[in-house]
Amino acid sequence: MKSILPYSLLFLGFPALLAQKIPEKGVPLLENYVPSQYFNHGKIWDMASAPNGILYMAGDGGLLEFDGHTWSAYKGSNGVMRSVHITSDSVIYSGSDLDFGIWKRNPLLRWEYTSLYPFHKDPNEENEEFWDVRQLGDKIVFVSFSNMYVYRNAQLTKIAAPNRFSGSFTAGESLYLADEKDGLFLFNGMSLKRVFSYPDKAPFPITGVFANAKGLMIATRNRGLFLYESGRIAPVRSRVSDALIKDQAFCSVRINDQYTAFGTILNGLYIADFQGNIIQHIDKQKGLSNNTILSMHYSPNGMLWLGMDYGISALHIHSGTTYFFDFNGAFGTASSALLKDGVFYLGTNQGLYQAVWDQLDNRTDDDFPLSLVKGSEGQVWSLADIGGTLFCGHDRGLFTFGKTGFRQVHDEPGVWTAVPFGGDYLLTGNYNGISVFKKTANGYAFLKKLELILGSCNQLLLEKDDILWVNIPNFGLIRFVLRSDLSIHDRVIFPSSLFSGNAPFLRKDSKGGIHLLTSERQYVFNPAQKKFIPGEAQQAPGPITGLLRGTYEPIHITDGYQFYPIHNGFALENRPVSIQEKPAAYSLLVRNIEVFNNRGRQAIAANTPIAFNQNNLRVSFGIPHQHQAQYQYQLLGVSRQWSPWTRERTMEFLSLKEGAYTLKLRAKVNGSVTPVSEVSFAILPPWYRTRLAYAGYLLALALAYFLNRAWHKVQQRKQRAPLLEQQQTALLSQADKLEQEALQLKQQQLENEKNQLQHLIKQKNIELAKQAKENEDKNRLLHILKEKMDQIPLNTPVSKGHWTEMKRILDMYLETNDHTFEIQIDELHQEFFTKLRALFPDLSLYDLRLCAYLKIGLNSKEISDIMKVLPSSINVSRSRLRKKLNLHPDQDLYRVLNDLSNPA
């Protein structure tokens, strides 16, 4: 019921399409959406685009929003939503069953609905369905079958239908309303003025009104097209008019200033030029999910949206890429194509097909242009025009096609490719090796197989006149020189393990350089180093849907067309020079801002302070309906570096610290970078680091300080008396301490004197021992002299008398000296020797001396020095002494001797 003329202003963020033709060959890229993708909102009755490019739809379940990536649904009134009109990015008007109203976007980027309908509670009012919303200047017009309501300056004006409204249409700056019986009316903002009455009494359901140079073009549901000119209305005879009579037009929309699109009830979509020629006909067999089209909308980004009885479709009518899908098994999956002498040849898995190039269009379903070449049934791998002859690489061998039909040249199975060589030869890459054909008067004849080349050679490429490259999947590449005698020299093998990715493909650039493309990377051959240098990551050749594996570049058909093999068909890319397209000025939109933690998520508005316990941020953004866009971000407050380009439309930032942040976003589409969009926000500190908390901390410290001072004063008063007592006690304690220190000092002094005396006694004992030793030595000498004297004979009485006198003197001296040591020891240690003799009467003088030396603390070395014997002799004497003293092995001899000297 709605017809839309071209927008007078192009939406910001999309390219301006000037004089751009809709391709006639194939179906433009078609995207289908089933109800389960948009919350099962039922049928779509109306669509409109916001200035920012987001699409809005009126469906059975309410308002739908779609940015090309994310669907959102909003419920307004209780009835079915029938119509939608957009005045800005943040204001939408809608009509539904028994209601109409306004939608406004809140700070959380969500839509909120307010009803404007004044008769909700009036039971006498008839049930109205507001199936259209229009704008005329500053007026918003809501249309139902019975009335129209004009909304201006928050005031409503009701205008009744002459009989029953059946449609409303905008043409230029004018608003037209069709009455079911009384004709077409023009609304001038205040009242309705009849434009014309219906030509006869038969039903005349109008589905579109368009202004042209002659007058008004009228589209009807089942009576075709009419032209209203100079007060007369007459039918228009054209192909599209005849099709609309048969298929029943339900809605229509103008596309730029060149085409009109018609949605039908029975047979899908028709796009026609102003002369009535059908440019495109698209139905369920060509990709639509349903043949009944209930609503249409042409968006400024060049997409035609279709709301159908089941599902939604988006047609990229200006993309330049069209598709031929084989939904009914007419030709199969394409692999190669060639245009020769005005005939388009297509090689598929079913055989070789041909069609007149100018008739290869998508205007109707009749007379499918592609026909199978007789005898070509089977897999066709390649097509080549060599010397004016069409060569076909087939699963059954090598074939030519011409006036004599489809003729076999050689029956070796599996010909991948064919290339000319040296003027007189033809080389083919086969399932196993390379075959050589020699030119003859009747064409080419098989000559031989090249030696040293085995395996499936699916690609042959001439680098120079005599340098050939061979691509053998799962093996690698071979580069060799093929001389005029067809001998192979300088063969170099590049195994597949040198390259990352799959499906390798060789190509030669305009300067003769050799490149290898794989599914992951591009490689460039360096002739000087004879090796491949890794290059950039591999990218798909444009936004082609369903490319066959290993397809990295198109097959050139004409100056304006490129061919791509795809699953279940083929695609053509049309880039005519006549297309004029202004540079795009895309704008990036922030779609949603959320904070989250382990307990849940919460949407927030921009510039909203964020609590510290929700310091995880998720931001969604994007350019509406631009699937090839790439995005970058920079989060000031964390880093000033831009992130790598990515296709991700959502960014998450986790565990952000408190502080102010600015998120900068930008996008890149077709090499063009958008202006930077910014989102500012702040993470609040935790409650214990807020200004109020710090003020509380200061207040608490001040209070604690004053309370502490008061408490100390009270305690001082309470503790003053005890403090004096404690001071006296401390003084007494200090005096006692000083006295104790004096006693300790005196005791230390006495101890020192004792130590000195003991040291002196030790020295005296040592001197005594030495003296005793000397005396013993003298006695020993005297004994020796006495013994010697006894040995001298006494011859005379005189001599005998003298010797007797000398012996008496020596005996007296020895007897006197023998008791010297005992006398000295007794003087020093009278009690010790008394006890020792009493307890151990068997001790000899030597034992007593040894006990004396040991008691005064001499070691074995010192005793041996005094006694002029070896230390080992002293050790033996000590052992004998221990036995005489009856000591156990664990008793200390020194301690036992000193214990004897101590009083009991």
Side-chain angles (χ1 to χ4, degrees):
M1 296 190 178
K2 180 180 282 192
S3 176
I4 306 172
L5 281 180
Y7 288 81
S8 58
L9 295 176
L10 294 170
F11 288 23
L12 177 64
F14 296 100
L17 305 169
L18 304 178
Q20 183 165 344
K21 292 184 177 180
I22 294 177
E24 300 178 11
K25 300 183 185 302
V27 178
L29 176 61
L30 188 64
E31 295 178 302
N32 291 320
Y33 304 92
V34 297
S36 60
Q37 293 178 265
Y38 49 89
F39 314 108
N40 292 306
H41 252 47
K43 295 178 175 62
I44 303 301
W45 299 104
D46 198 8
M47 307 181 192
S49 292
N52 58 20
I54 298 177
L55 182 70
Y56 294 91
M57 308 176 195
D60 289 348
L63 180 67
L64 280 175
E65 177 187 66
F66 185 51
D67 61 5
H69 184 267
T70 303
W71 293 89
S72 300
Y74 301 92
K75 185 66 177 177
S77 59
N78 294 325
V80 174
M81 189 171 175
R82 303 284 183 178
S83 55
V84 62
H85 179 78
I86 299 173
T87 59
S88 68
D89 291 338
S90 56
V91 177
I92 297 175
Y93 293 92
S94 66
S96 57
D97 294 347
L98 289 174
D99 197 14
F100 59 79
I102 184 172
W103 300 78
K104 292 185 178 181
R105 193 185 291 276
N106 63 24
L108 300 180
L109 306 180
R110 306 291 192 270
W111 290 99
E112 295 178 349
Y113 177 76
T114 302
S115 176
L116 301 175
Y117 186 55
F119 304 116
H120 285 293
K121 298 181 180 180
D122 190 346
N124 296 322
E125 285 293 323
E126 66 173 298
N127 294 332
E128 292 187 279
E129 296 178 3
F130 292 94
W131 39 258
D132 207 358
V133 182
R134 298 285 177 174
Q135 184 170 4
L136 186 66
D138 60 349
K139 301 178 180 66
I140 302 297
V141 180
F142 302 93
V143 184
S144 71
F145 290 112
S146 304
N147 305 287
M148 56 185 295
Y149 294 82
V150 181
Y151 181 72
R152 180 175 181 271
N153 296 330
Q155 299 293 324
L156 280 173
T157 302
K158 179 180 178 181
I159 300 175
N163 186 281
R164 188 173 188 266
F165 289 129
S166 60
S168 63
F169 315 95
T170 300
E173 299 296 327
S174 301
L175 175 60
Y176 296 91
L177 289 101
D179 188 80
E180 195 173 70
K181 294 182 178 180
D182 292 350
L184 184 69
F185 290 82
L186 173 67
F187 179 62
N188 59 12
M190 297 295 294
S191 61
L192 294 170
K193 178 182 178 182
R194 192 193 310 271
V195 178
F196 62 82
S197 298
Y198 296 142
D200 49 41
K201 294 182 180 180
F204 197 79
I206 297 176
T207 58
V209 176
F210 307 97
N212 60 21
K214 296 181 179 181
L216 295 177
M217 183 67 67
I218 308 298
T220 66
R221 176 165 300 178
N222 52 14
R223 299 184 62 174
L225 299 178
F226 287 79
L227 176 64
Y228 176 75
E229 180 182 10
S230 302
R232 298 183 60 187
I233 185 168
V236 175
R237 298 304 175 193
S238 63
R239 293 189 63 185
V240 70
S241 182
D242 295 340
L244 297 179
I245 293 173
K246 176 174 64 73
D247 296 330
Q248 298 191 30
F250 188 81
C251 53
S252 56
V253 65
R254 183 66 60 85
I255 300 174
N256 295 333
D257 290 325
Q258 297 175 279
Y259 306 98
T260 306
F262 300 94
T264 71
I265 295 176
L266 302 178
N267 205 14
L269 171 71
Y270 289 93
I271 300 177
D273 59 17
F274 287 178
Q275 288 72 42
N277 300 313
I278 297 176
I279 304 302
Q280 285 280 349
H281 173 228
I282 305 173
D283 58 9
K284 189 172 182 178
Q285 288 188 354
K286 297 177 183 178
L288 289 182
S289 56
N290 193 271
N291 275 337
T292 300
I293 300 176
L294 304 176
S295 59
M296 287 196 300
H297 167 64
Y298 176 69
S299 65
N301 64 350
M303 296 178 66
L304 181 62
W305 291 88
L306 311 175
M308 294 166 291
D309 195 59
Y310 176 82
I312 300 168
S313 292
L315 196 65
H316 296 252
I317 57 177
H318 296 302
S319 68
T321 302
T322 56
Y323 296 83
F324 290 81
F325 291 107
D326 185 15
F327 292 111
N328 53 10
F331 58 87
T333 298
S335 57
S336 184
L338 179 68
L339 182 64
K340 176 177 170 56
D341 301 329
V343 178
F344 176 73
Y345 295 95
L346 178 68
T348 77
N349 65 320
Q350 297 182 7
L352 177 63
Y353 290 80
Q354 62 179 345
V356 177
W357 178 250
D358 291 339
Q359 296 177 5
L360 190 68
D361 56 35
N362 190 42
R363 298 176 183 178
T364 65
D365 292 331
D366 302 330
D367 301 327
F368 182 70
L370 288 171
S371 62
L372 179 65
V373 173
K374 185 178 180 180
S376 69
E377 293 84 355
Q379 176 69 61
V380 174
W381 292 118
S382 63
L383 298 172
D385 184 0
I386 301 175
T389 301
L390 176 62
F391 283 86
C392 175
H394 200 282
D395 178 67
R396 294 187 282 115
L398 180 65
F399 293 82
T400 61
F401 180 67
K403 295 179 180 180
T404 59
F406 196 70
R407 188 177 67 85
Q408 189 173 51
V409 179
H410 188 55
D411 61 356
E412 182 183 358
V415 177
W416 290 107
T417 183
V419 296
F421 178 76
D424 294 329
Y425 297 99
L426 180 70
L427 305 178
T428 62
N430 307 322
Y431 287 171
N432 187 15
I434 299 175
S435 297
V436 181
F437 296 83
K438 185 173 176 58
K439 191 173 185 181
T440 65
N442 297 323
Y444 285 90
F446 176 75
L447 181 62
K448 60 177 288 190
K449 297 277 290 187
L450 285 183
E451 298 177 354
L452 303 177
I453 304 295
L454 300 175
S456 182
C457 304
N458 72 347
Q459 194 178 5
L460 303 179
L461 183 66
L462 281 172
E463 180 182 347
K464 295 181 180 178
D465 293 339
D466 60 347
I467 299 179
L468 190 69
W469 287 85
V470 182
N471 184 1
I472 304 176
N474 301 320
F475 174 78
L477 308 177
I478 302 178
R479 181 179 186 260
F480 60 91
V481 174
L482 186 62
R483 293 184 178 176
S484 57
D485 60 355
L486 301 179
S487 61
I488 294 176
H489 297 271
D490 301 333
R491 186 179 65 160
V492 181
I493 298 175
F494 301 89
S496 58
S497 58
L498 296 176
F499 312 105
S500 63
N502 301 309
F505 178 82
L506 282 168
R507 66 177 293 267
K508 183 179 178 180
D509 60 30
S510 59
K511 297 180 180 180
I514 301 299
H515 302 256
L516 180 70
L517 312 180
T518 72
S519 59
E520 294 182 3
R521 188 164 296 280
Q522 303 181 26
Y523 296 85
V524 180
F525 180 69
N526 187 317
Q529 301 179 8
K530 292 187 177 181
K531 69 176 184 179
F532 282 90
I533 308 301
E536 298 178 352
Q538 179 60 37
Q539 296 182 356
I544 307 298
T545 300
L547 276 174
L548 289 183
R549 180 177 180 267
T551 301
Y552 304 108
E553 59 183 19
I555 297 174
H556 180 74
I557 300 296
T558 68
D559 290 338
Y561 282 92
Q562 309 284 343
F563 170 88
Y564 293 91
I566 64 172
H567 297 286
N568 198 32
F570 64 95
L572 294 177
E573 186 177 23
N574 181 17
R575 296 293 183 187
V577 180
S578 61
I579 293 179
Q580 302 177 23
E581 185 173 324
K582 288 185 178 180
Y586 299 100
S587 59
L588 189 150
L589 306 179
V590 175
R591 302 287 291 125
N592 188 37
I593 306 174
E594 287 182 337
V595 294
F596 62 93
N597 54 25
N598 293 334
R599 292 186 294 273
R601 296 178 177 271
Q602 179 183 352
I604 64 168
N607 301 315
T608 299
I610 301 171
F612 188 77
N613 63 353
Q614 292 182 317
N615 60 345
N616 302 307
L617 189 73
R618 187 176 189 266
V619 182
S620 300
F621 50 87
I623 297 179
H625 307 288
Q626 291 296 324
H627 302 298
Q628 301 300 317
Q630 293 180 300
Y631 303 95
Q632 263 188 334
Y633 73 89
Q634 180 188 88
L635 185 59
L636 298 182
V638 174
S639 173
R640 292 189 172 272
Q641 298 294 324
W642 285 97
S643 68
W645 290 105
T646 177
R647 296 192 190 279
E648 292 294 326
R649 299 163 56 95
T650 300
M651 297 295 172
E652 289 188 353
F653 305 98
L654 306 178
S655 301
L656 294 173
K657 298 179 180 179
E658 66 259 32
Y661 296 87
T662 299
L663 176 62
K664 293 187 175 183
L665 300 166
R666 64 185 181 186
K668 180 170 64 175
V669 185
N670 299 327
S672 177
V673 179
T674 66
V676 174
S677 298
E678 294 186 357
V679 177
S680 297
F681 60 93
I683 304 294
L684 298 176
W687 64 267
Y688 51 84
R689 286 206 294 265
T690 60
R691 292 183 178 179
L692 184 60
Y694 286 129
Y697 299 152
L698 292 175
L699 182 61
L701 287 174
L703 182 61
Y705 172 75
F706 287 113
L707 290 176
N708 186 55
R709 287 198 61 184
W711 182 81
H712 276 292
K713 288 181 179 179
V714 172
Q715 293 299 317
Q716 285 175 358
R717 288 195 296 268
K718 290 181 178 180
Q719 296 175 0
R720 187 168 297 170
L723 186 60
L724 292 175
E725 183 179 350
Q726 289 178 1
Q727 288 177 351
Q728 292 177 355
T729 304
L731 290 174
L732 292 174
S733 175
Q734 187 174 6
D736 292 340
K737 184 177 180 180
L738 291 174
E739 185 177 355
Q740 292 293 329
E741 288 177 354
L743 290 174
Q744 290 178 359
L745 183 61
K746 182 66 175 176
Q747 184 176 359
Q748 184 66 35
Q749 184 177 358
L750 294 175
E751 186 70 24
N752 291 338
E753 292 178 355
K754 177 183 177 182
N755 291 335
Q756 290 177 2
L757 291 174
Q758 288 179 346
H759 180 71
L760 181 60
I761 291 171
K762 183 177 181 180
Q763 293 296 325
K764 292 294 184 179
N765 286 333
I766 292 173
E767 291 176 3
L768 176 61
K770 288 181 179 180
Q771 183 64 39
K773 179 61 178 174
E774 290 176 359
N775 293 338
E776 184 178 0
D777 291 342
K778 291 177 182 179
N779 288 338
R780 187 180 298 113
L781 179 60
L782 292 176
H783 278 293
I784 293 170
L785 290 176
K786 184 176 178 293
E787 290 174 358
K788 293 296 182 180
M789 289 174 64
D790 289 337
Q791 296 175 2
I792 297 173
L794 301 178
N795 297 324
T796 63
V798 178
S799 59
K800 182 178 180 180
H802 287 295
W803 283 111
T804 303
E805 181 65 21
M806 290 175 64
K807 288 175 62 178
R808 186 183 63 79
I809 294 172
L810 288 174
D811 290 336
M812 182 181 64
Y813 180 81
L814 289 172
E815 184 178 355
T816 303
N817 285 339
D818 285 342
H819 299 282
T820 302
F821 176 74
E822 292 178 338
I823 295 170
Q824 292 175 341
I825 290 298
D826 289 339
E827 290 177 355
L828 291 174
H829 305 286
Q830 292 180 4
E831 295 182 3
F832 169 70
F833 281 108
T834 302
K835 286 184 179 181
L836 196 60
R837 288 191 185 97
L839 294 174
F840 307 102
D842 295 334
L843 292 178
S844 65
L845 179 62
Y846 178 84
D847 294 332
L848 292 174
R849 288 179 180 175
L850 183 59
C851 289
Y853 297 153
L854 292 174
K855 181 181 181 302
I856 62 177
L858 299 180
N859 56 34
S860 296
K861 181 65 170 60
E862 292 173 335
I863 296 172
S864 64
D865 291 340
I866 294 173
M867 302 183 72
K868 304 299 182 180
V869 294
L870 293 175
S872 59
S873 299
I874 301 300
N875 292 332
V876 172
S877 300
R878 291 182 63 167
S879 299
R880 293 173 179 171
L881 180 62
R882 291 179 62 88
K883 291 180 180 180
K884 291 180 179 182
L885 296 179
N886 299 320
L887 298 183
H888 298 291
D890 57 345
Q891 287 183 290
D892 183 41
L893 181 59
Y894 171 79
R895 182 171 296 178
V896 170
L897 294 176
N898 277 278
D899 289 342
L900 290 174
S901 64
N902 295 327

